[in-house]
Amino acid sequence: MSAQRHMHDHSAHVHSNHGSFVHEPPEAARELYREARESALPDSGREVVSVELEAREVDWSIAPGTVVRAWTFNGQVPGPVIEGRVGDVLEVRLTNRLPEPTAVHWHGMRLPAPMDGTEMVQQLVQPGESFTYRFKLLDAGTFWYHPHVNETVQLERGLYGALIVRGDDEPVLDREQVLVLDDLKLDRNGQVAKFGGFVERHDGREGDVRLVNGKREPAFSIAAGQIERWRVVNAASARYVRLSIGGAAFRILGTDGGLIEAPVTVDEVLLAPGDRVDIAVGPFAAGQELAIDALRYSRTTIKRRGDERFATLRVGSAKASTAVVPERLRVIEPLAPSSATPNRTVDFGIKYSLRRGIDFVVNGERHKTDEPVRIGELQVWDVVNSTLMDHPFHLHGYFFQVLSVDGELPAWRSWEDVVNLPPKSTTRIAWMPDGRPGSWMYHCHILEHHAAGMMGHFEVVR
Ligand SMILES: [Cu+2]
């Protein structure tokens, strides 16, 4: 199908995203899209990975005898795991069979702006229509995809999936598993509960049903003596997951933007909404059973939670291991010293509103229009959280490094696209606009906060 066919004019339609707030793609969007699509060519020896994604409603079984009316990619929750290699081109044709418009955001990908899947860079894909995303895979890591339209509803109903990009120099472990975490709020009839209300608006929507790969509290297995690489994605709307594997030690290998410099041994790791972590799990002894839990995490919500079970890990009989976890994984050059002078402050705050109760704002404004950023000019931003709640800050299209949190150095250097902002804190980040002009955004990845205005958009310009 041609670009022209996909991009025909929808200007007569009303696009609903966050309430009455409408972002529109620029006039030149069609031409920019065509250029981006045509210029995405694989490196020599690499290929075009073609994927068909159909967004459609199906009955999805989260547990034996428990069926939920879900919105899915290709009839499954999560959507299919999409896999490619660095240097490949990913081409995804999205067909919308939902009763409302959608679009797909490729979370964490350094792609051209017209492929970012937001309402700022493309016309939404109307029911019955298709749209093709095509971009080159530049970075190895664990990414994910999800709609950026009516996202509080579309993600909750099941529209999300993992996207894995492999590099040449990856640690070779015994086996790999992808764990996509989510929670689901069901009503008395066992269906997706209605949306909205003050608690949901304030806390973000959390549910009492915990899913891993679309199943309620499933069991995983690992062979005794083996070490596996787990790629974990937090796809929940608002839930923070302080991931524990029975209290056992595991090694962090990578975060949002791929491998870190050296493995870090921990017995828990925090995944804010939108976060990913790659970990080396094991070895364990035969017969062990470990609880994969989210430990209690207080983020100053109205509704509180204790430790909660996501899954169980059962250790089977022993198998030989050939896993090697190298002591050095890669080198990450620092973008800037922690003393670098910030050139922008992004302040996540709340304001009381007579009409809406609470507004979630950036520098005092809902859906802030921020200053442009020039390609090649290092960005050092102080990202401030003025509130008493945690907020996960997400930047589209570019990885950043955390330079400091309240003046303290982070425990390790990494590339991130999500960082949790603790209450009343300042997180200094650095990032480089490395090209790819166009409309970009940052926002809180608690989807209800994003929808309520905790986002800013800006142009990257030459
Ligand atoms: Cu938030």
Side-chain angles (χ1 to χ4, degrees):
M1 275 212 246
S2 73
Q4 285 71 21
R5 169 123 180 249
H6 295 143
M7 293 300 292
H8 76 245
D9 190 10
H10 297 300
S11 53
H13 296 252
V14 174
H15 301 146
S16 67
N17 188 25
H18 0 259
S20 60
F21 211 93
V22 176
H23 300 287
E24 282 289 332
E27 279 297 309
R30 192 178 315 196
E31 184 58 20
L32 295 170
Y33 167 79
R34 193 185 59 76
E35 274 173 31
R37 187 171 170 178
E38 286 175 1
S39 64
L41 299 171
D43 286 347
S44 86
R46 291 287 181 241
E47 56 186 42
V48 176
V49 177
S50 292
V51 176
E52 294 275 341
L53 280 186
E54 189 178 73
R56 61 174 188 259
E57 196 169 11
V58 299
D59 287 325
W60 175 251
S61 172
I62 59 169
T66 307
V67 170
V68 174
R69 195 74 182 154
W71 290 4
T72 68
F73 289 116
N74 297 2
Q76 60 182 83
V77 181
V81 176
I82 297 175
E83 293 187 51
R85 298 188 64 82
V86 172
D88 287 346
V89 161
L90 178 62
E91 184 172 88
V92 179
R93 189 172 72 150
L94 167 71
T95 300
N96 183 6
R97 307 266 175 232
L98 301 172
E100 65 180 42
T102 193
V104 174
H105 169 56
W106 307 92
H107 184 124
M109 305 306 292
R110 288 195 299 134
L111 38 63
M115 300 297 172
D116 195 39
T118 71
E119 71 283 13
M120 298 188 59
V121 295
Q122 71 168 93
Q123 301 288 352
L124 301 184
V125 185
Q126 300 297 321
E129 292 187 349
S130 294
F131 181 87
T132 298
Y133 298 92
R134 183 180 162 111
F135 52 87
K136 193 162 164 177
L137 304 176
L138 302 179
D139 305 286
T142 303
F143 305 99
W144 63 303
Y145 60 95
H146 61 78
H148 217 277
V149 180
N150 194 18
E151 39 177 10
T152 54
V153 172
Q154 294 195 4
L155 271 80
E156 173 74 355
R157 289 195 186 279
L159 290 167
Y160 56 81
L163 166 55
I164 290 167
V165 185
R166 297 178 196 285
D168 286 332
D169 292 312
E170 303 251 10
V172 179
L173 306 189
D174 293 311
R175 185 179 170 213
E176 184 177 295
Q177 304 207 49
V178 179
L179 286 78
V180 184
L181 313 181
D182 188 17
D183 63 2
L184 199 50
K185 186 173 171 183
L186 299 181
D187 64 18
R188 225 169 289 170
N189 302 318
Q191 294 303 313
V192 175
K194 70 179 175 60
F195 291 83
F198 181 76
V199 173
E200 200 164 299
R201 184 178 175 86
H202 178 275
D203 293 1
R205 181 178 171 107
E206 291 189 341
D208 292 321
V209 176
R210 285 152 327 263
L211 304 178
V212 182
N213 299 340
K215 299 293 173 187
R216 188 177 69 200
E217 296 173 53
F220 288 84
S221 63
I222 184 172
Q226 290 203 327
I227 304 175
E228 298 187 347
R229 178 170 178 171
W230 287 10
R231 297 173 180 266
V232 188
V233 179
N234 183 359
S237 301
R239 179 189 285 261
Y240 279 59
V241 178
R242 230 180 102 200
L243 182 70
S244 160
I245 305 171
F250 55 88
R251 282 167 282 184
I252 297 175
L253 303 176
T255 59
D256 299 342
L259 297 173
I260 56 177
E261 293 191 292
V264 175
T265 302
V266 295
D267 56 17
E268 61 171 81
V269 65
L270 179 67
L271 288 112
D275 255 333
R276 288 88 65 210
V277 68
D278 280 28
I279 55 178
V281 177
F284 301 114
Q288 265 186 288
E289 189 169 293
L290 298 100
I292 302 174
D293 283 338
L295 303 177
R296 189 180 72 83
Y297 185 77
S298 170
R299 57 183 187 90
T300 327
T301 45
I302 296 164
K303 186 158 194 263
R304 303 294 171 98
R305 296 184 176 278
D307 296 358
E308 292 188 314
R309 182 71 44 91
F310 265 85
T312 303
L313 178 62
R314 297 202 180 105
V315 185
S317 50
K319 277 190 188 164
S321 173
T322 57
V324 178
V325 181
E327 280 177 36
R328 302 299 303 176
L329 296 167
R330 71 161 160 172
V331 173
I332 298 176
E333 299 294 342
L335 274 179
S338 59
S339 59
T341 307
N343 50 22
R344 183 171 302 195
T345 298
V346 172
D347 187 333
F348 278 20
I350 55 170
K351 269 184 18 188
Y352 293 93
S353 149
L354 280 179
R355 200 154 68 83
R356 293 175 295 266
I358 300 182
D359 280 342
F360 290 84
V361 294
V362 173
N363 297 6
E365 292 173 52
R366 301 171 68 222
H367 307 278
K368 181 182 173 56
T369 303
D370 211 335
E371 294 298 314
V373 158
R374 198 168 292 282
I375 288 167
E377 286 182 2
L378 178 71
Q379 299 300 303
V380 179
W381 292 6
D382 269 351
V383 187
V384 176
N385 178 359
S386 300
T387 78
L388 295 169
M389 303 177 74
D390 294 60
H391 300 283
F393 170 88
H394 171 47
L395 176 65
H396 280 216
Y398 300 85
F399 297 119
F400 55 83
Q401 293 178 1
V402 175
L403 301 184
S404 65
V405 180
D406 286 334
E408 301 277 326
L409 298 179
W412 61 80
R413 191 178 298 139
S414 60
W415 292 108
E416 304 291 343
D417 55 65
V418 174
V419 63
N420 184 49
L421 310 177
K424 298 285 179 193
S425 66
T426 298
T427 301
R428 185 165 296 172
I429 64 167
W431 65 280
M432 178 57 84
D434 57 11
R436 299 176 294 121
S439 299
W440 295 97
M441 62 172 74
Y442 54 79
H443 60 84
C444 177
H445 218 286
I446 290 175
L447 303 181
E448 291 71 19
H449 294 177
H450 176 200
M454 195 171 256
M455 66 91 71
H457 50 95
F458 60 94
E459 296 289 317
V460 170
V461 298
R462 292 196 193 280

